[in-house]
Amino acid sequence: MTGEPDRLSVTGEPDRLSETGGPGRLCKTGGLDQPTHGRTFLMSRPPSVGVTTLVACLYRGPDLDVSTPVVGVDAVESLVTTIGVEDPEDSVVNCILEGLRVARDLDDAIIAVLAGSGGRVNSEREIARQVDQLVSEHDPDSAVVVVDSAEDERLVPIVESRVAVDAVDRVVVRQARDIESTYYLLKQFLADEELRKTVLVPLGLALLAFPALLAVSDSMAVSIGAIAAVVGTFLLYKGLSIDALLADLSGGIKEALYAGQVSLVTYVVAGGLALVGFFIGALDASSLDAETTGELLLFMQFLHNAIPWLTGAALIASAGRLLDEFIRDDELGSAYINLPFVAVAVGLALRGFSGYFLQISDVVDPLRVPSMALGNNEMEAFTITPGTHLAAFILASIVVSLVGVRVASHVSNADYGSALEGRRS
């Protein structure tokens, strides 16, 4: 202990409990006592000023049987010697040696070994605690992180959130660089659940379907085409996030069932009305001769007969949503109030345009108003021209939409006035 006042190693029998509650040897470094859990490392006095770069060797795995972080060149060299003698094949030896080389090449640098054991969460929290300790004690300006695997590289954001990281140095044994890099890439790929579902599932289905299709049909082109169609459908399903939309829809239906929302019933009724509208429109369109009328007129016939049912479906669905908002005693948004009027206005406009095309094509007769007697006055029968018929529907749709905007604005202003009055009171 003479001749080196800045270093003191006590290797005798344990004389007090360590910080974790168990017996440990004392290692005194610059007046600081640190438990080493049965091992003694010669530690340099940690510099308090002038340290600009922290060289952090990150390790996550089995317990190193040493209190971490291990700070200082002497302490780290003792640690790597002990680990290397016990297990020369351990990759952490190369990681620590690389950290020593980096610290040697840098000016005003301090090296530290940070280790975490246990599960993923516990090890990451342990690394975070050690980084906080190093930052509070040494206040580095930046850091260089040294890791030996892709798994340990995931710890880099923990250091990066506390000190600026200038570089990340991954150490791979030279003799097995290609093999180990490929291994870690495959391991990272297989660990990504979303990537597995997107890539491996369609490939597996294709490999299973190919021999089955060849057994059913002897045509190679048909088999490849069927597989390509299935894989393309699956990729579109994942790419457009249809699975997320279905999951949200399922969650919304479940919430509506448990909450007893009126909109759930109105949505079911609206779906039924929409199916009726599609059926009636398709039935009326099929009664026309496709060769003489053309595809456009067939679509107009379908739309002309289906639009009243579809408008009713939209009106009932929006009314149910509006009732839910009213029952919950929430502030009624202008969108919920205006939606029924918009549904009716769009339905009127589509009905008018489809009727106009059918009337000028002589598929549907123009609207004829019969004669009526109003008291002593008598009105003769007359026929409404297609242009007048279209103009009436367009005017009606505009009026309905303006009424909806006016009603929504009035309700919103009333809600805002009530809220403002409540704040004043």
Side-chain angles (χ1 to χ4, degrees):
M1 194 169 67
T2 60
E4 293 185 6
D6 290 341
R7 301 180 180 177
L8 177 61
S9 176
V10 181
T11 58
E13 294 298 323
D15 54 356
R16 68 177 180 86
L17 294 180
S18 64
E19 293 179 359
T20 58
R25 304 176 189 271
L26 296 179
C27 180
K28 181 164 294 189
T29 303
L32 298 177
D33 294 340
Q34 297 183 1
T36 60
H37 298 281
R39 293 180 182 171
T40 302
F41 301 110
L42 198 60
M43 301 181 62
S44 302
R45 179 192 303 273
S48 58
V49 293
V51 176
T52 58
T53 304
L54 170 66
V55 180
C57 302
L58 303 184
Y59 167 75
R60 174 164 53 186
D63 192 4
L64 295 178
D65 195 21
V66 61
S67 178
T68 53
V70 178
V71 186
V73 175
D74 294 338
V76 173
E77 288 179 350
S78 300
L79 174 63
V80 73
T81 302
T82 304
I83 297 176
V85 170
E86 291 184 357
D87 188 3
E89 296 180 353
D90 197 341
S91 61
V92 71
V93 175
N94 301 93
C95 178
I96 298 176
L97 291 175
E98 174 67 12
L100 289 170
R101 185 194 66 80
V102 173
R104 182 196 60 189
D105 295 340
L106 295 176
D107 296 331
D108 296 331
I110 185 170
I111 184 172
V113 177
L114 295 78
S117 60
R120 178 183 296 271
V121 176
N122 292 333
S123 61
E124 292 181 357
R125 295 182 66 179
E126 183 65 20
I127 293 291
R129 181 194 64 79
Q130 297 172 30
V131 175
D132 291 335
Q133 178 181 341
L134 291 173
V135 170
S136 63
E137 291 179 357
H138 303 286
D139 192 20
D141 297 331
S142 60
V144 175
V145 180
V146 183
V147 295
D148 64 342
S149 65
E151 184 71 17
D152 291 344
E153 195 169 348
R154 295 184 180 180
L155 300 171
V156 173
I158 298 178
V159 182
E160 204 169 22
S161 64
R162 291 158 172 82
V163 62
V165 175
D166 291 340
V168 178
D169 186 1
R170 184 200 286 188
V171 181
V172 181
V173 179
R174 182 179 293 109
Q175 288 81 355
R177 180 179 297 274
D178 295 336
I179 298 176
E180 188 165 346
S181 299
T182 304
Y183 168 74
Y184 282 120
L185 287 176
L186 289 175
K187 185 177 180 181
Q188 189 173 7
F189 168 76
L190 295 175
D192 192 337
E193 183 179 358
E194 190 65 25
L195 198 58
R196 288 202 312 268
K197 292 180 179 179
T198 306
V199 178
L200 296 183
V201 170
L203 288 178
L205 291 175
L207 293 175
L208 288 175
F210 189 71
L213 291 174
L214 285 179
V216 175
S217 64
D218 296 334
S219 175
M220 179 73 70
V222 173
S223 302
I224 295 177
I227 292 174
V230 172
V231 173
T233 303
F234 182 83
L235 292 179
L236 286 176
Y237 175 80
K238 299 295 292 185
L240 298 176
S241 300
I242 298 178
D243 52 345
L245 295 176
L246 293 178
D248 294 341
L249 179 61
S250 176
I253 293 176
K254 185 182 296 184
E255 181 181 358
L257 285 172
Y258 293 151
Q261 296 179 0
V262 180
S263 58
L264 180 61
V265 179
T266 57
Y267 288 160
V268 173
V269 175
L273 291 177
L275 290 176
V276 172
F278 281 116
F279 178 77
I280 292 178
L283 188 63
D284 291 338
S286 62
S287 62
L288 299 178
D289 188 0
E291 296 180 357
T292 58
T293 55
E295 296 179 355
L296 178 61
L297 291 179
L298 285 177
F299 176 72
M300 289 300 163
Q301 180 68 22
F302 166 80
L303 188 63
H304 187 266
N305 292 279
I307 199 64
W309 296 92
L310 297 179
T311 302
L315 185 61
I316 290 178
S318 58
R321 183 63 177 168
L322 185 62
L323 283 175
D324 282 338
E325 296 296 325
F326 180 77
I327 291 173
R328 286 206 302 260
D329 199 20
D330 293 341
E331 294 184 1
L332 297 178
S334 59
Y336 295 119
I337 301 173
N338 196 30
L339 188 58
F341 295 93
V342 172
V344 174
V346 172
L348 288 173
L350 293 177
R351 175 80 174 185
F353 279 105
S354 60
Y356 173 77
F357 286 114
L358 293 176
Q359 289 176 7
I360 63 175
S361 302
D362 294 331
V363 177
V364 175
D365 295 331
L367 182 63
R368 181 177 177 80
V369 179
S371 60
M372 292 181 293
L374 302 175
N376 296 327
N377 299 323
E378 184 177 355
M379 184 178 65
E380 297 181 357
F382 64 95
T383 301
I384 299 178
T385 62
T388 306
H389 181 268
L390 176 61
F393 272 89
I394 292 176
L395 181 61
S397 65
I398 294 175
V399 171
V400 171
S401 62
L402 291 177
V403 171
V405 172
R406 179 60 180 171
V407 172
S409 176
H410 177 73
V411 174
S412 298
N413 292 334
D415 291 339
Y416 176 76
S418 301
L420 186 61
E421 189 67 25
R423 291 181 181 179
R424 291 178 178 177
S425 60

